Amino acid sequence: MPEPCVPLWEKPSLRVAAGETLRPGGFSLTDRAAELVGVLPGWRILDVGSGLGATVERLRSRFGADAWGVESSSVQIERGGGANVIQAQGDALPFHDESFKAVFCECVLSLFADPQKGLAEFYRVLQPQGYLVLADLHAERPSLPDGSSCAGRAVPLAVTRERVEACGFTVRLVEDHSRQLKDLAAKLLFAGGETTRTCDGDLGYYLMIAQKGSEPRVG
């Protein structure tokens, strides 16, 4: 009988290569984003696709934020201990409108079946002037989508930006962090993980910060 397909984010090789954050850039990129948006103690922040809960704990311990996570995988929640993490889908968040000052979504949006639906849900739970922090892979020549990794579902950066702006956000900053992706690919290689698509020279990694306007959307 064939073994069940295990997604990349649940494979031990990724945890060995990337640590508890399970993504390129690790805490250095999370910290940079938090500093750029000016996270203050007490801010309610939601981490969508929180995995093992590393970003939730980081935002609480380093920045004093009232951070929460949502994660669809019960396996990941159990492995991470589950503190301040709720099992839910990222495009059906179990929170009231305008509940959070910031939403983080790191290396997860590309895995959504409908990214536009997910972005609309982020917009709904954010307070006016609240911040959306996205970090993810992009590919200028996307391959046929497969469900096993961010790399297999990456889209051009311009497509993501159009989707963000279509939801009513204003993009404040976009940074290239492709070097962190290459570093992770090298670590995955040494850890015995799958690197075929991750090593593709067409892939890059970005940090995008957008802000919810206080004016209602048109249309």
Side-chain angles (χ1 to χ4, degrees), residues 9 18 34 40 56 76 89 106-107 150 158 164 168 180-181 184-185 202:
W9 54 89
L40 296 174
V56 172
Q76 295 295 76
Q89 299 293 328
E106 300 168 300
C107 211
C150 302
V164 169
Q180 280 87 342
L181 178 64
L184 177 57
D202 181 52

Side-chain angles (χ1 to χ4, degrees), residues 34 83 116 162 190:
Q116 198 77 49
E162 289 173 2
F190 282 108

Side-chain angles (χ1 to χ4, degrees), residues 60-99:
R60 283 178 169 267
S61 62
R62 186 178 177 91
F63 296 93
D66 181 16
W68 295 84
V70 292
E71 169 58 48
S72 62
S73 168
S74 59
V75 173
Q76 295 295 76
I77 293 174
E78 182 177 353
R79 287 177 177 173
N84 305 306
V85 175
I86 299 168
Q87 185 171 14
Q89 299 293 328
D91 58 4
L93 298 171
F95 301 103
H96 295 301
D97 296 355
E98 302 182 358
S99 298

Side-chain angles (χ1 to χ4, degrees), residues 64-172:
D66 181 16
W68 295 84
V70 292
E71 169 58 48
S72 62
S73 168
S74 59
V75 173
Q76 295 295 76
I77 293 174
E78 182 177 353
R79 287 177 177 173
N84 305 306
V85 175
I86 299 168
Q87 185 171 14
Q89 299 293 328
D91 58 4
L93 298 171
F95 301 103
H96 295 301
D97 296 355
E98 302 182 358
S99 298
F100 295 94
K101 181 67 176 176
V103 170
F104 280 56
C105 184
E106 300 168 300
C107 211
V108 173
L109 183 66
S110 55
L111 297 171
F112 278 47
D114 184 349
Q116 198 77 49
K117 181 180 178 184
L119 289 166
E121 191 69 344
F122 301 167
Y123 190 96
R124 182 185 68 78
V125 301
L126 272 172
Q127 300 168 5
Q129 305 297 322
Y131 291 99
L132 172 62
V133 173
L134 292 177
D136 213 336
L137 283 79
H138 64 84
E140 298 312 306
R141 292 179 289 107
S143 60
L144 291 175
D146 71 58
S148 63
S149 72
C150 302
R153 300 179 61 89
V155 300
L157 179 57
V159 171
T160 299
R161 180 165 185 151
E162 289 173 2
R163 289 171 174 170
V164 169
E165 292 176 337
C167 283
F169 289 102
T170 299
V171 175
R172 299 298 188 192

